[in-house]
Amino acid sequence: MRNARTTRRTTVPASCAALLIAGCVLPPGASAAAVPDPPTPPTPAATASASAAPTPSALKPIDPAALQSSVERAAEKLMVPGAVVLLRTPQGTFRALVGTSERGTATPPTTADHFRIASNTKTMTAALINLLAQDGRLRLDDPVSHYVAGVPNGDHITLAHLLKMRSGLYNHTNAPELSAALDADPGKARTPREMLDIAFGRPPNFAPDASYEYSNTNYVLLGLVAEKAGGRPLAEQFRTRLFAPLGLKGTSLPALGDTSLPSPYAHGYMYGATAYALVDQPYPADVRAAARSGRLRPVDYTHQNPSYALAAGGAVSTADDLATWIRALVTGKVLNAAFQRQWRDSPQAEDPAAPDGQKYGYGIAYQRFGPNASMYYHGGELPGFNSFIGHDPDNDVTLVIWTNLTLSPDGRTTAQAMLPTLLNQIYAGLALPSGID
């Protein structure tokens, strides 16, 4: 339920490192061909944007067969039951659909399947907070104590600190008692206040704005801030302010007690207990071996209640909707011009010693990974699903990846592990090690 993992993060590789893939078995005959849709005729605005963009040589011609083949190989090595890749470029729309949406069946996943998007929800929570600031209902430099009582250092933690993961507050999803409770009663509804009580029961890890640390507690707080400032439930504000205006009919924030998924939906799986997704706890050697051999079957986490995530990671969507969402967010279809500039300029280096490395801003990560290419992106992980969404405004590339296995047997986050392979398919001049071949 985080951007990749709390410490093992989703990273667009800048120096040909990380995100290597490990191995697996795919149901035979369960893949579908990657077929391009016809390019959409450009609007005048898109034409103007394209004329100002860097040289088209930043992109390779997309080979649908090669794209499909690369996703099939990656899925096989990662042992994912099913995977979906949706790619939109100026050449058209391409889909690579692999495996099955439910173990034991031959039902291929589709870009219309609903799945739990986990921390990609943070892009939506952050957008709503910025809309409320745009409306004058709050200011990003307001202390969180104006909206939520009892926050440690709350008079000194601003909404901007929360948005950029710089509050220092303990991450409630790291608490061992939470993962144990989820395993004991997976369907139980859990309130934001209960999650904050877990977080506030530990001391902060650092002073406000002294450092960066990814914490789901920040976004649980921002959900409560949005409800107080907006005067309506978070799910309603998401629907009326974000989803309906963009036509995202397959996207929703379920109620606390709702463990269902709209049809059609994919089942989500993971080896072992909830803690393997919520904290960086590696699989023991015996678990890895049993999973690889097929002696250990993954647990079906489809209907575990995600209410512990809510504004930090509780939304449900589809690949089609997420592609529309991330492109709209990055290209200025959600915020006005002034707030859009502020949003796009918000990413700050996570590591001050690596100013050109991964940056995190207002619910969005950013990285430049080539002379003519950069991407605004996020990732999502919770028990059952792993996903990645990104948009490259330099070249009008949108990429969505989801899998219905959280972690490969060797502990890799599966959708993010596919990323280098896909970037090599899209961009000229990259040679990122994928670990596939």
Side-chain angles (χ1 to χ4, degrees):
M1 193 217 25
R2 47 190 134 209
N3 184 17
R5 314 200 75 181
T6 301
T7 55
R8 274 204 299 260
R9 316 245 315 129
T10 303
T11 305
V12 175
S15 58
C16 299
L19 292 177
L20 310 183
I21 296 182
C24 118
V25 178
L26 191 69
S31 64
V35 180
D37 291 345
T40 302
T43 63
T47 302
S49 173
S51 67
T55 172
S57 64
L59 302 181
K60 290 180 178 178
I62 303 300
D63 180 340
L67 178 69
Q68 177 71 26
S69 178
S70 69
V71 176
E72 288 176 353
R73 290 196 307 273
E76 182 179 358
K77 292 199 171 192
L78 290 163
M79 295 185 67
V80 298
V84 166
V85 172
L86 175 58
L87 171 65
R88 293 177 180 169
T89 82
Q91 301 169 47
T93 297
F94 304 84
R95 296 173 174 86
L97 313 173
V98 171
T100 180
S101 60
E102 182 179 4
R103 280 171 51 86
T105 76
T107 306
T110 76
T111 56
D113 283 353
H114 296 83
F115 69 99
R116 300 196 190 281
I117 70 171
S119 283
N120 292 310
T121 307
K122 291 180 175 70
T123 64
M124 299 163 181
T125 300
L128 178 59
I129 290 290
N130 276 271
L131 280 171
L132 292 167
Q134 184 177 295
D135 296 343
R137 292 176 175 266
L138 56 77
R139 296 184 307 174
L140 300 185
D141 60 358
D142 284 343
V144 67
S145 58
H146 284 191
Y147 304 92
V148 182
V151 182
N153 294 330
D155 290 340
H156 304 287
I157 296 172
T158 69
L159 304 187
H161 293 152
L162 297 174
L163 287 165
K164 296 170 73 171
M165 303 295 187
R166 301 185 68 84
S167 72
L169 294 171
Y170 177 84
N171 184 2
H172 71 278
T173 55
N174 283 351
E177 67 267 28
L178 176 60
S179 55
L182 287 167
D183 291 334
D185 191 355
K188 181 180 176 181
R190 293 167 170 85
T191 68
R193 190 72 246 183
E194 289 174 309
M195 299 304 96
L196 294 180
D197 287 344
I198 292 174
F200 299 167
R202 272 87 166 177
N205 293 327
F206 52 83
D209 205 29
S211 185
Y212 166 91
E213 184 178 53
Y214 194 89
S215 173
N216 292 303
T217 303
N218 295 331
Y219 276 72
V220 170
L221 274 169
L222 287 168
L224 295 179
V225 170
E227 290 192 330
K228 185 163 185 179
R232 291 179 292 156
L234 186 64
E236 181 183 341
Q237 293 188 68
F238 272 10
R239 185 174 61 253
T240 59
R241 301 297 304 271
L242 305 177
F243 305 157
L246 294 173
L248 307 182
K249 295 181 180 179
T251 307
S252 63
L253 184 67
L256 289 184
D258 186 359
T259 63
S260 67
L261 287 167
S263 294
Y265 67 87
H267 284 247
Y269 303 92
M270 188 176 73
Y271 296 102
T274 298
Y276 290 115
L278 297 192
V279 296
D280 290 328
Q281 178 179 333
Y283 285 132
D286 60 334
V287 172
R288 295 198 300 270
R292 287 196 193 98
S293 70
R295 290 181 288 112
L296 177 65
R297 295 182 179 182
V299 178
D300 188 332
Y301 278 94
T302 309
H303 299 297
Q304 185 186 68
N305 194 318
S307 56
Y308 64 90
L310 204 63
V316 169
S317 191
T318 69
D320 289 327
D321 272 10
L322 287 176
T324 299
W325 164 251
I326 191 63
R327 187 179 189 279
L329 183 62
V330 175
T331 59
K333 303 298 190 298
V334 177
L335 303 171
N336 68 22
F339 275 85
Q340 179 68 10
R341 284 193 298 273
Q342 184 173 269
W343 180 88
R344 287 185 64 164
D345 291 344
S346 68
Q348 180 176 350
E350 296 176 7
D351 180 0
D356 296 326
Q358 177 166 286
K359 299 176 170 65
Y360 197 86
Y362 294 163
I364 200 72
Y366 173 83
Q367 198 161 335
R368 180 162 290 281
F369 56 95
N372 297 319
S374 65
M375 191 166 280
Y376 289 87
Y377 62 98
H378 215 284
E381 173 195 353
L382 48 59
F385 298 98
N386 193 231
S387 54
F388 172 91
I389 61 174
H391 181 74
D392 168 6
D394 296 336
N395 299 287
D396 195 19
V397 171
T398 303
L399 178 62
V400 175
I401 312 165
W402 70 255
T403 66
N404 59 355
L405 182 74
T406 312
L407 302 168
S408 65
D410 70 345
R412 300 182 192 275
T413 50
T414 51
Q416 282 86 20
M418 293 184 179
L419 188 56
T421 295
L422 292 165
L423 294 179
N424 282 333
Q425 294 282 326
I426 299 166
Y427 292 98
L430 299 184
L432 303 178
S434 68
I436 293 177
D437 299 318

